[in-house]
Amino acid sequence: MVAAVRAGASVLMLAGFYIVALIQVAAAIAFGVWLSSLVPGGIALKVIFPVLVAAIGSVAVGMWKAVRAKPQPPEGLGLGPDQAPELWRTVHELAHVVGTRVPNEIRLVPEVNAAVYEESRLLGLIGGRRTLYIGLPLIQAFTVDQLRAVLAHELGHYSHAHTRLGAIAYRGRLAIGGTIGRIGPYNVAGWIFKGYARLYLLVDNASSRRQELEADQAAVRAAGRAAAASALREIPVVDAAWGFFFGRYVEPGWESGFAPEDLFGGFAELLAARKDELEEMRGQEPPSDGSVWDTHPPIAERIGAIAATPEVARPPDGRRAGVLLPDMGGAGRAMQARMLDVGDRRVLPWAYFTAATATTTMQRNADGIFRAVGRAIGDDRLNLATLLDIVAANRLGAAAESLFPNATRREVPKCFTEPMAMLIALAAIKSNVAYWQHSWTGPARLVGHDGQPLPTAEIAARAVSPQTVDEARAWLAHLRIDPGSAMVVEQRASATGAGVVAGIANVKVDGVEHDLLVLDKGLVFVGNPGKSDKGKVRLQELVGSAPADEIARTHRFLPYEEITSVAFVKNVPLRVDITLHSGQTVSVHEAWSSELIAKNSRDVLTDVLKQVSD
């Protein structure tokens, strides 16, 4: 009965959106009839036409999308009862406790999350096939008690019939969001739709928050108050660890063309290595701030509600949740093989993955230094040996001054000590004298074959001065480091690892129509863009079609490091003349008809060009 009432409420809220549209249509027609008795019919039609477009066209498109679309649950890695008998036994037990039928399948997903999905019918009144999704990082980090609480919470969504309303809520959000997205900011009729959309989301989000609190009660019944509260406290900790793991260890190598051989095995090792840091995070108070627009109550509020729920006595189980999977390592590797598209990336064990990532990053930084010095002396094939020759000739101040714009030529050599140490370290790697030592507790360390760090800083301090550069050369020779092995590889900067920060459609580059993407590493000029009235959509599709570095490889890419000065001819519409180190000038002219991918795109481009030219 509760499910029927909620399904009915969801349907009524969605229907109200279209009722608002019909009322506006009727009002617009009535106003048009009255207006046509005062002014010519053509003028009356022009007045009411925008209202009709907003009320009929936009809503029709939104309704069509809502009817056709269905929620797309994650794929996941299926776990049958024969593959994880203890996990299935636990789920059976929890389903009995919360009073619901067992899911038809369990799937592992690569997320710090758990969820349930049901293919319901007849507006959610009739149940269907059920799937329970469990994030493998949760199993790796949780105790059995904590995982029981999370799984009972998700099964509680079944017992309260929450999942049967999922399709309706999804269609409602899609219909309203799709309609609002097609209404311009100056369409007065659209303001009514936007107001109703906010009301719909307020009601829908409030219902979602109530559902979370109800599901938490199911978690208490199955696992007890301590386990339910502990699981809620642990989720942000695991989520932060997962984000740190990807940001610090995975993404740099992924962007450099490598992939770890055992992604989830690495996360398990990180959790074990950083126990003290994770324990410190657990001591922090959970977030208590919330908003009426949130779909979940604040964790502090949920923990408070759990404390007020009657306790259920049960023996604690502090074992690691991994005991519920007979082969967690194998499951992680299988899910990685199934769900992670490595493309043409080189798959490496963690130690080699870290070493390849660090060396590639170091080479990329070295290339930037070599290119900057090379532009100053007119040599595009520099290496460390020729750089030492420049030092010996007392030319480093002039050759490297572009790297230190706030230093005088006399100060540049001392400023160059740190880059010189990095170039020496690269030469040591290329000479097979040093290697990267992987660590889960801190950054990778560059060490010699004896396991000790190399004296790169000491050598660099001598290598930047004409008076002591020969001492540095002798030291390198003693260590069997070949200075010629550290050389420029990319003679032109690439967009590897770049991100899109802005975009302007329909600009003229040297008088020719282009679309312009602003990356954090350079500008991308897309020729032959297409119709001018589809600019913003075209930019959005382009950005969503591939990573930024791939887009830069496909189209004309101008790295910021090649820009020597920027002349601002006009601010609105923006007109700039960009001068390159080669002496070439690139003129970029925005038009009044240009479209921005985001409202601040023009300001972002202006700020970037000012920073580059300073």
Side-chain angles (χ1 to χ4, degrees):
M1 184 60 187
V2 174
V5 171
R6 286 184 173 167
S10 297
V11 173
L12 286 175
M13 285 294 295
L14 182 56
F17 187 68
Y18 301 106
I19 293 172
V20 170
L22 292 175
I23 291 174
Q24 288 198 86
V25 170
I29 293 175
F31 177 72
V33 171
W34 173 78
L35 190 61
S36 64
S37 66
L38 302 178
V39 299
I43 297 177
L45 182 60
K46 288 182 179 180
V47 173
I48 68 169
F49 183 73
V51 179
L52 293 175
V53 169
I56 298 176
S58 299
V59 174
V61 172
M63 180 180 289
W64 176 249
K65 289 182 64 176
V67 170
R68 291 174 56 86
K70 292 182 179 180
Q72 295 297 322
E75 180 183 354
L77 175 71
L79 285 178
D82 57 328
Q83 297 169 300
E86 187 64 18
L87 178 62
W88 272 95
R89 186 198 65 76
T90 301
V91 171
H92 273 267
E93 176 195 338
L94 296 174
H96 175 73
V97 172
V98 304
T100 190
R101 62 183 172 90
V102 179
N104 299 88
E105 58 180 334
I106 297 175
R107 290 185 174 271
L108 288 181
V109 291
E111 303 170 10
V112 182
N113 191 28
V116 284
Y117 177 74
E118 184 171 8
E119 297 177 1
S120 58
R121 295 169 291 167
L122 195 61
L123 298 179
L125 299 179
I126 299 178
R129 184 174 180 81
R130 294 177 168 183
T131 304
L132 171 63
Y133 295 94
I134 309 173
L136 183 57
L138 293 182
I139 300 179
Q140 292 178 299
F142 274 16
T143 65
V144 172
D145 271 344
Q146 289 170 335
L147 187 64
R148 283 176 59 91
V150 168
L151 297 184
H153 172 98
E154 297 303 328
L155 294 171
H157 285 304
Y158 282 139
S159 62
H160 290 90
H162 299 161
T163 55
R164 298 187 186 180
L165 306 175
I168 301 173
Y170 176 83
R171 285 187 168 91
R173 287 175 177 268
L174 187 67
I176 293 176
T179 304
I180 297 304
R182 287 170 170 78
I183 297 175
Y186 305 110
N187 190 321
V188 177
W191 296 349
I192 299 175
F193 284 122
K194 291 179 180 180
Y196 189 89
R198 292 174 67 86
L199 174 63
Y200 180 91
L201 291 177
L202 279 174
V203 174
D204 190 56
N205 291 346
S207 176
S208 176
R209 293 193 296 273
R210 287 194 301 272
Q211 291 173 1
E212 293 303 317
L213 294 175
E214 290 175 352
D216 284 341
Q217 294 175 8
V220 173
R221 293 200 303 274
R225 290 191 307 209
S230 173
L232 285 177
R233 288 180 177 274
E234 188 71 7
I235 288 176
V237 175
V238 181
D239 190 50
W242 182 250
F244 175 82
F245 169 69
F246 262 84
R248 173 68 65 86
Y249 290 93
V250 181
E251 289 177 357
W254 187 267
E255 293 172 352
S256 297
F258 308 106
E261 188 176 70
D262 187 0
L263 177 71
F264 297 98
F267 184 60
E269 292 188 43
L270 176 83
L271 292 174
R274 294 185 179 259
K275 285 182 178 179
D276 293 342
E277 296 173 57
L278 296 176
E279 193 61 37
E280 184 177 343
M281 292 178 63
R282 292 184 185 102
Q284 300 174 3
E285 288 299 316
S288 58
D289 296 334
S291 166
V292 293
W293 303 106
D294 293 339
T295 58
H296 287 58
I299 290 180
E301 178 183 334
R302 295 174 65 181
I303 291 175
I306 286 172
T309 303
E311 179 63 287
V312 176
R314 56 163 287 107
D317 192 340
R319 295 176 299 162
R320 307 311 305 174
V323 300
L324 301 180
L325 283 181
D327 184 9
M328 187 162 59
R333 290 188 292 271
M335 184 163 60
Q336 177 175 336
R338 180 186 181 98
M339 303 188 67
L340 190 66
D341 182 11
V342 300
D344 57 357
R345 290 175 177 82
R346 187 180 175 190
V347 180
L348 298 169
W350 272 108
Y352 293 99
F353 174 83
T354 297
T357 299
T359 301
T360 301
T361 301
M362 180 178 282
Q363 180 67 63
R364 194 175 297 127
N365 294 333
D367 285 343
I369 295 171
F370 284 134
R371 286 193 298 264
V373 175
R375 282 192 295 268
I377 67 172
D379 185 351
D380 60 356
R381 293 188 176 277
L382 282 183
N383 57 40
L384 180 56
T386 55
L387 187 58
L388 294 177
D389 291 339
I390 292 171
V391 174
N394 200 21
R395 297 168 55 204
L396 182 61
E401 64 179 341
S402 65
L403 295 170
F404 309 99
N406 297 322
T408 66
R409 283 193 177 183
R410 296 188 63 177
E411 295 170 336
V412 165
K414 185 176 181 180
C415 296
F416 198 80
T417 303
E418 187 173 342
M420 181 66 81
M422 187 266 291
L423 296 176
I424 292 171
L426 179 62
I429 294 171
K430 298 292 185 179
S431 302
N432 294 319
V433 171
Y435 69 97
W436 290 104
Q437 191 176 69
H438 173 81
S439 173
W440 290 114
T441 57
R445 296 171 64 242
L446 185 67
V447 297
H449 292 298
D450 59 356
Q452 298 301 312
L454 295 179
T456 53
E458 293 87 340
I459 301 175
R462 291 166 173 77
V464 296
S465 170
Q467 289 76 29
T468 56
V469 67
D470 286 339
E471 294 180 30
R473 284 170 167 159
W475 203 339
L476 293 174
H478 174 72
L479 294 174
R480 297 182 180 179
I481 297 175
D482 176 14
S485 64
M487 64 183 71
V488 63
V489 174
E490 284 189 342
Q491 295 182 356
R492 189 166 188 264
S494 70
T496 301
V500 178
V501 296
I504 305 178
N506 310 320
V507 301
K508 286 190 175 181
V509 180
D510 294 333
V512 180
E513 200 78 21
H514 283 76
D515 285 346
L516 169 64
L517 282 182
V518 184
L519 311 185
D520 50 16
K521 294 190 176 183
L523 305 177
V524 178
F525 303 113
V526 182
N528 302 315
K531 295 182 179 180
S532 60
D533 61 341
K534 300 292 185 181
K536 182 176 180 179
V537 173
R538 190 169 59 240
L539 284 176
Q540 291 171 335
E541 291 176 348
L542 176 63
V543 171
S545 66
D549 58 340
E550 290 186 19
I551 297 174
R553 284 196 297 270
T554 306
H555 302 281
R556 180 185 175 188
F557 176 59
L558 175 60
Y560 293 134
E561 71 173 51
E562 295 183 5
I563 298 174
T564 183
S565 64
V566 180
F568 289 85
V569 179
K570 191 176 182 180
N571 291 327
V572 181
L574 184 64
R575 295 190 175 189
V576 295
D577 292 333
I578 302 172
T579 303
L580 310 183
H581 286 287
S582 64
Q584 179 186 358
T585 299
V586 180
S587 297
V588 179
H589 290 185
E590 182 191 9
W592 289 109
S593 60
S594 296
E595 297 186 17
L596 311 180
I597 194 172
K599 292 181 180 180
N600 66 338
S601 287
R602 183 186 300 107
D603 295 335
V604 170
L605 175 59
T606 300
D607 291 343
V608 166
L609 293 178
K610 285 181 178 179
Q611 292 174 14
V612 170
S613 60
D614 285 345

